[in-house]
Amino acid sequence: MTSPATLTPAQRSIALLPDILVSQIAAGEVVERPASVVKELVENALDAGARRIEVRLDGGGIKRIVVSDDGGGITRDELPLALARHATSKIGSLAELEAVASLGFRGEALASIASVAAVTITSRTALADSAFEIQAEGGSRSITAAAGSVGTRVEVADLFFKTPARRKFLRAEATELGHCVTQIERIAAAHPQVAFSVSHAGRILLQLPSTSPRERALKLLPEEFAAAHRTVEAEAPGIAVRGWVGLPTAARARADAQYFYVNGRYVRDKVLTHAVRAAYADVLHGSSQPMYCLFLDIDPARVDVNVHPTKIEVRLRDSSAVHQFVLHAVQAALAETVRRPAPAAASLHTLADLAAARAYPAAPVQATLGIAQSTAAYLDMLRPSLPAATAVPAGEAMPLSTLSNLSTFAAAATVPTDDDTPPLGFAIAQLAGIYVLARNRSGLVIVDMHAAHERIVYEKLKRQLDAHAMPQQRLLIPQVFAADALDVASSEEHAATLAVIGLDLVPAAPTQLALRAVPALLADADGAALARAVLRDLRDFGGSRVLTEHRNELLGTLACHGAVRANRRLTLDEMNALLREMEATERADQCNHGRPTWVQLSIGDLDRLFMRGR
């Protein structure tokens, strides 16, 4: 007699699969590893209204998982249904499925888990005199009275002992434990009102008391996030996003600190991930990964959460609109600098222009910062006590007479009240030809002048390019410089693109190029070096794509050549003008490569450096 196992599919008759096999197949979709079990059980506890959830693990969750909660509990009569396939209290119609708001709703989790492990459920409702227990072992569904408080306790033992082939695919105990803890952290970030406790082999690994959303996020994200993040908050009809994004200076090599939630459910969605990453395009380059914790609240009818068995993926209706909404919300948060940007009083191009406009930005500053007087007026007041040369070239020592004058200047700088001081304060010196030192209400500000000015120029160039209005500065005498045949050919091939960005570059000879005009913002740049760099970008990125796919890289090249260079000696007027421009420029906290443009040292920081008070 031929065994059914030896028959080919073509030789077999169609037959219903045994229930246990059906559940084990479903378990293959829902239960991948111990962390999958933890996720399903914790989500059930949250849907039951739990305010405290305790997770106990042994053997990385392979030997035992126990999830206890103080939720509403399960009645005695419903305990068998909790272990049945496609049984749930969370949906009852197609309409509810299409607008589901609960975390778990498939009605397969417990049945699937019970098909590959030993499951015991102990539960008690507020109206019951005692708890009741059911064990899903060997097909038995007997219910017995048990001790227990209001809520539910689910124990899962010996995961995959019924399917040993699948158990072989589990990783080391420590690895599986790490996945379990990560899963709980993802869930906990979206439910700060719930207290969580996680232990392994009797040792507490995670203790999260109920708290505010922000405090919960800061607790779960890396430490550097706390000191370098911005708040995201945007709302439109039927959609809202809130949360926090890390500054580029706090980026990481791995994408392991990225939390995104849709209606309280942690998801990994390509549309949403791309939207956030695109928002960092101006400030974060290369493979660095930003940190963030974002919550998207959207009409449940506009999102399908039933496209993946583990609900880790979603399908967004109007995905393009949602993408743009998230992109602009994150961009707005990253654009905030030391204050919310205000329109500049005039189009000021170079540091010389800034210094020449002595009153800039008197009216905007007084209106938006509450400063009692403009920078220029403040400097005029201090002029008698200003040192003659507070800007010291690189490599030169500061003379004692200058130090004496600086102390006089510092004393005079205390005349205005803190309310009269702008966020980045007033310049007091230049250090090593690179840094601007300023005093503000908190203490000492140190500015990387090239990085800061590069960001200012970059943002202005971007606005001009977006407005299709890139002013040109015609050169009285064209600048002719040596070029190889490839550069000469590139100048002809990409003449239209060069014109868009304000460069008029033409061949002057087989091995020479003539630069006849540059963008007005870059009038002081080294024309030959600028032209060569732009031609290199055009060749690397392709002329047809450089203004679309690689627009930011090209603008970065232009801005770098237009920014003030190291070792240029600045006057106090120029330094203060730079500070005021930073305060009025979006994303001025970071240069185009994601590095900080300034740092703050408080008086307390300085006291600690010098061990004062010890």
Side-chain angles (χ1 to χ4, degrees):
M1 182 176 177
T2 304
S3 168
T6 63
L7 296 176
T8 67
Q11 295 172 319
R12 291 179 183 167
S13 301
I14 298 175
L16 291 172
L17 293 174
D19 286 343
I20 184 62
L21 183 56
V22 171
S23 294
Q24 288 173 340
I25 292 172
E29 297 179 332
V30 177
V31 184
E32 178 184 1
R33 61 195 332 152
S36 307
V37 175
V38 170
K39 174 182 181 293
E40 297 292 343
L41 299 184
V42 171
E43 287 182 344
N44 279 347
L46 291 168
D47 282 340
R51 303 291 293 187
R52 293 191 308 276
I53 298 176
E54 179 185 3
V55 180
R56 289 180 288 163
L57 306 167
D58 286 305
I62 302 170
K63 294 180 181 178
R64 193 170 74 121
I65 300 169
V66 180
V67 176
S68 305
D69 67 67
D70 63 349
I74 306 171
T75 65
R76 182 189 187 282
D77 295 339
E78 291 179 345
L79 278 174
L81 286 174
L83 291 166
R85 296 190 66 240
H86 303 306
T88 180
S89 61
K90 300 168 187 179
I91 57 170
S93 66
L94 179 60
E96 290 182 345
L97 177 62
E98 291 179 342
V100 66
S102 59
L103 295 173
F105 54 86
R106 286 174 171 266
E108 296 180 24
L110 286 173
S112 298
I113 296 168
S115 70
V116 295
V119 175
T120 302
I121 304 175
T122 306
S123 191
R124 177 182 175 182
T125 63
L127 299 178
D129 294 331
S130 68
F132 293 92
E133 181 177 287
I134 186 171
Q135 294 183 350
E137 179 61 31
S140 171
R141 293 293 187 269
S142 59
I143 300 174
T144 59
S149 56
V150 173
T152 302
R153 177 185 183 275
V154 181
E155 178 176 345
V156 178
D158 296 323
L159 187 61
F160 296 139
F161 84 97
K162 296 180 180 179
T163 53
R166 293 192 58 199
R167 189 161 185 159
K168 295 177 183 177
F169 287 94
L170 294 178
R171 307 297 293 272
E173 179 180 304
T175 301
E176 297 300 340
L177 176 61
H179 284 292
C180 289
V181 174
T182 297
Q183 193 66 258
I184 296 165
E185 289 176 337
R186 289 172 177 171
I187 297 172
H191 298 86
Q193 76 283 2
V194 179
F196 288 84
S197 173
V198 182
S199 63
H200 182 257
R203 183 169 64 92
I204 297 293
L205 301 181
L206 189 65
Q207 194 83 46
L208 299 173
S210 60
T211 185
S212 67
R214 180 176 180 275
E215 290 302 316
R216 177 62 60 84
L218 295 183
K219 175 72 174 178
L220 295 173
L221 284 159
E223 290 183 4
E224 57 266 33
F225 183 84
H229 70 275
R230 293 277 165 75
T231 299
V232 176
E233 195 166 0
E235 189 172 357
I239 188 171
V241 65
R242 57 185 174 83
W244 306 270
V245 291
L247 294 178
T249 51
R252 296 164 68 84
R254 296 187 302 161
D256 58 349
Q258 298 178 350
Y259 297 81
F260 206 112
Y261 300 83
V262 175
N263 292 344
R265 178 183 287 105
Y266 174 83
V267 300
R268 288 197 301 264
D269 181 81
K270 292 180 180 179
V271 171
L272 300 174
T273 301
H274 182 273
V276 177
R277 180 68 194 191
Y280 281 84
D282 279 353
V283 291
L284 191 62
H285 302 296
S287 59
S288 297
Q289 296 291 334
M291 294 191 285
Y292 54 84
C293 183
L294 293 169
F295 302 88
L296 181 70
D297 295 318
I298 188 170
D299 182 352
R302 295 176 61 185
V303 57
D304 185 357
V305 298
N306 198 30
V307 297
H308 192 277
T310 64
K311 302 179 287 294
I312 194 67
E313 299 174 7
V314 295
R315 181 182 293 119
L316 296 164
R317 298 180 177 93
D318 305 321
S319 60
S320 295
V322 175
H323 178 280
Q324 290 300 105
F325 178 77
V326 173
L327 168 63
H328 291 305
V330 176
Q331 274 185 334
L334 293 174
E336 292 181 2
T337 180
V338 285
R339 67 174 179 86
R340 292 191 178 274
S347 179
L348 305 173
H349 300 161
T350 67
L351 284 176
D353 295 329
L354 297 175
R358 293 289 312 282
Y360 174 76
V365 168
Q366 290 174 3
T368 59
L369 295 178
I371 296 176
Q373 55 212 13
S374 69
T375 302
Y378 179 70
L379 290 173
D380 287 338
M381 180 186 71
L382 297 180
R383 190 66 59 191
S385 61
L386 289 179
T390 56
V392 180
E396 293 187 16
M398 182 177 287
L400 291 177
S401 59
T402 299
L403 290 175
S404 176
N405 286 336
L406 279 176
S407 65
T408 304
F409 172 73
T414 62
V415 173
T417 66
D418 281 346
D419 290 340
D420 295 331
T421 305
L424 292 179
F426 295 105
I428 56 176
Q430 185 179 5
L431 178 65
I434 300 173
Y435 303 105
V436 170
L437 308 183
R439 173 194 176 275
N440 68 352
R441 67 194 68 178
S442 299
L444 179 67
V445 174
I446 306 174
V447 176
D448 182 330
M449 67 183 195
H450 173 76
H453 195 225
E454 185 177 0
R455 168 57 70 180
I456 292 168
V457 174
Y458 177 92
E459 292 295 333
K460 289 181 177 179
L461 287 169
K462 184 171 65 174
R463 289 196 298 270
Q464 291 177 354
L465 186 61
D466 289 344
H468 305 288
M470 184 77 79
Q472 275 188 330
Q473 174 68 56
R474 305 298 302 181
L475 303 183
L476 291 176
I477 301 175
Q479 183 177 354
V480 180
F481 57 92
D484 58 29
L486 189 57
D487 278 344
V488 173
S490 296
S491 70
E492 295 180 304
E493 179 184 353
H494 303 300
T497 301
L498 291 170
V500 170
I501 61 175
L503 282 173
D504 184 355
L505 189 64
V506 296
T511 57
Q512 287 185 326
L513 284 171
L515 183 64
R516 301 187 300 191
V518 296
L521 280 172
L522 311 183
D524 294 335
D526 181 334
L530 171 64
R532 290 191 182 103
V534 170
L535 289 174
R536 184 172 56 250
D537 281 355
L538 290 172
R539 289 197 301 271
D540 291 345
F541 302 139
S544 62
R545 297 184 300 154
V546 72
L547 293 179
T548 53
E549 299 175 26
H550 300 283
R551 168 179 171 274
N552 295 332
E553 289 91 335
L554 178 61
L555 289 174
T557 297
L558 295 173
C560 185
H561 284 269
V564 61
R565 314 306 295 181
N567 296 322
R568 174 178 167 183
R569 182 168 175 169
L570 304 182
T571 67
L572 276 172
D573 285 348
E574 288 175 328
M575 287 185 264
N576 279 295
L578 176 64
L579 298 176
R580 302 293 79 78
E581 271 283 85
M582 290 174 65
E583 292 163 349
T585 300
E586 293 183 346
R587 306 173 187 87
D589 291 344
Q590 303 92 33
C591 75
N592 309 332
H593 312 289
R595 295 189 297 270
T597 59
W598 65 281
V599 295
Q600 173 80 62
L601 289 178
S602 68
I603 298 299
D605 293 330
L606 296 172
D607 287 344
R608 283 189 291 273
L609 286 173
F610 290 96
M611 300 183 182
R612 291 181 61 85
R614 295 188 182 180

